[in-house]
Amino acid sequence: MGNTVAREDFEWVYTDQPHADRRKEILAKHPEIKALMKPDYNLIWVVVLMVLAQLTAFYLVKDLDWKWVIFWAYVFGSCISHSMTLAIHEISHNSAFGNNKAMWNRWFGIFANLPLGLPYSISFKRYHMDHHRYLGGDGIDVDIPTNFEGWFFCTRFRKFIWIVLQPFFYAIRPLCINPKPITRLEIINLLAQLSFDIVIYYLWGVKSTFYMLAGSVLGLGLHPISGHFIAEHYMFLKGHETYSYYGPLNLLTFNVGYHNEHHDFPNIPGKSLPLVKKIAAEYYDNLPQYNSWIKVLYDFVMDDTISPYSRMKRHLKGEVKQD
């Protein structure tokens, strides 16, 4: 229980991330993949239905006993909330309306954000683009844990607590690593969210409001879907920076598990990533991969060689452009 992990720093690398070169190679060999670089209009209707599902749930839980509010927040609300964060991930890549209507995607992201209870969409988009451009970049990629996280969460028990507190660290980390000036759209996102939360509280009371906020926090913490946070880039095998997951939870997460494919082709919607893998199978079939996010969470806690330090990190060269 008290075992301390061996790592004392990140895995510093001095090579560029592998995704740009692989994308170039794959497109040269399989130019038909370019046909997949188009919006997924079905995403719009899926998001609208998810918002309606949560609104229905807010209404249904308003008079339940607290034990059932908590139960449904974890069993149902958390799944919808986490799934919605990954819909927002899709929208951040302009997958809903396409690159030609970038602002439509931003407004739609604010709409998708509403049932989460906490403003998230606009800020996520700004930082997520840095994650793609500068994967592992020191001081830029806020997906990389802080030195404090790597140093402190170094035993099995503490790593378990770190997983439970993931929402807190994802919220606070950008302010520590790469704070950015607040934009007009972020203020609009905040005001829209506060207005929505007040309306929910006014209409249906504290239990519906609690269900909304608890579902978001629980869904991004100790939850099977949260295995993707660790599965995507934590270095379970030395020398491998990005990992894909091909299990059934991709059905709830817009195929975010196809993570090598996503980083190779960030402008292809999640719906089409299985096709990318099928077309360019020779590039993906032999890469390390997962079939269970629950096992990823278990292995992260129990493997004494793995910790928040188990990430590749690089010093960036040349000019850095951020959103």
Side-chain angles (χ1 to χ4, degrees), residues 123-131 140 142 174 178-180:
S123 297
F124 172 78
K125 195 262 185 217
R126 297 180 73 199
Y127 283 103
H128 188 63
M129 295 305 105
D130 295 339
H131 171 64
I140 301 294
V142 300
N178 186 18
K180 297 184 180 186

Side-chain angles (χ1 to χ4, degrees), residues 12-13 48 83 91 97 104 107 135 155 159 196 202 212 215 224:
W12 288 90
V13 294
V48 169
S83 184
I91 296 164
F97 295 98
W104 288 38
W107 294 119
L135 181 62
T155 67
K159 285 191 289 180
F196 179 83
Y202 177 78
M212 173 172 60

Side-chain angles (χ1 to χ4, degrees), residues 7-292:
R7 293 200 69 91
E8 294 183 355
D9 196 3
F10 298 101
E11 181 79 12
W12 288 90
V13 294
Y14 301 91
T15 55
D16 291 333
Q17 57 167 298
H19 300 289
D21 287 342
R22 188 160 60 220
R23 173 167 58 248
K24 207 176 294 181
E25 258 187 68
I26 291 173
L27 286 176
K29 192 171 179 182
H30 300 287
E32 65 271 27
I33 282 177
K34 290 178 184 175
L36 303 176
M37 299 176 184
K38 59 185 180 182
D40 173 16
Y41 295 118
N42 288 332
L43 177 63
I44 299 166
W45 307 114
V46 171
V47 166
V48 169
L49 287 173
M50 289 168 71
V51 171
L52 292 174
Q54 279 293 68
L55 285 172
T56 303
F58 296 163
Y59 173 77
L60 292 174
V61 303
K62 67 184 178 68
D63 296 319
L64 294 181
D65 288 342
W66 274 107
K67 64 182 178 185
W68 290 113
V69 175
I70 295 167
F71 173 82
W72 288 114
Y74 187 78
V75 171
F76 182 76
S78 63
C79 295
I80 296 286
S81 290
H82 200 136
S83 184
M84 189 62 92
T85 67
L86 294 166
I88 289 170
H89 167 252
E90 288 282 291
I91 296 164
S92 77
H93 285 281
N94 294 335
S95 291
F97 295 98
N99 292 322
N100 293 332
K101 295 180 177 176
M103 279 307 298
W104 288 38
N105 289 282
R106 301 295 76 75
W107 294 119
F108 192 57
I110 291 172
F111 168 75
N113 196 152
L114 293 177
L116 295 178
L118 301 165
Y120 163 81
S121 177
I122 299 298
S123 297
F124 172 78
K125 195 262 185 217
R126 297 180 73 199
Y127 283 103
H128 188 63
M129 295 305 105
D130 295 339
H131 171 64
H132 276 274
R133 289 189 198 116
Y134 309 110
L135 181 62
D138 184 32
I140 301 294
D141 183 359
V142 300
D143 193 59
I144 299 281
T146 59
N147 279 307
F148 170 78
E149 290 170 74
W151 167 76
F152 184 77
F153 294 99
C154 58
T155 67
R156 293 177 184 178
F157 177 72
R158 291 183 191 178
K159 285 191 289 180
F160 174 81
I161 297 301
W162 184 76
I163 289 171
V164 172
L165 296 178
Q166 283 272 42
F168 168 77
F169 288 113
Y170 269 92
I172 208 77
R173 201 182 288 151
L175 304 177
C176 300
I177 294 178
N178 186 18
K180 297 184 180 186
I182 295 174
T183 65
R184 182 178 67 93
L185 275 178
E186 284 176 303
I187 293 170
I188 292 170
N189 193 175
L190 172 63
L191 293 176
Q193 192 62 61
L194 286 174
S195 301
F196 179 83
D197 295 353
I198 290 167
V199 168
I200 294 301
Y201 179 77
Y202 177 78
L203 288 177
W204 297 322
V206 68
K207 289 179 180 177
S208 296
T209 308
F210 174 86
Y211 168 90
M212 173 172 60
L213 296 170
S216 295
V217 173
L218 294 170
L220 296 168
L222 187 64
H223 194 281
I225 297 176
S226 290
H228 81 87
F229 288 132
I230 292 167
E232 290 165 0
H233 298 292
Y234 282 79
M235 198 173 49
F236 281 80
L237 289 174
K238 189 173 174 64
H240 290 277
E241 188 165 13
T242 306
Y243 302 76
S244 287
Y245 155 85
Y246 299 123
L249 287 176
N250 277 308
L251 295 170
L252 295 178
T253 58
F254 300 91
N255 286 328
V256 76
Y258 287 76
H259 217 66
N260 268 301
E261 295 84 348
H262 171 60
H263 271 266
D264 289 353
F265 299 98
N267 53 345
I268 293 180
K271 180 187 77 171
S272 299
L273 292 177
L275 264 178
V276 172
K277 181 182 185 295
K278 185 177 179 182
I279 292 168
E282 70 274 24
Y283 287 91
Y284 297 114
D285 284 354
N286 295 321
L287 291 176
Q289 56 192 248
Y290 302 110
N291 290 303
S292 169

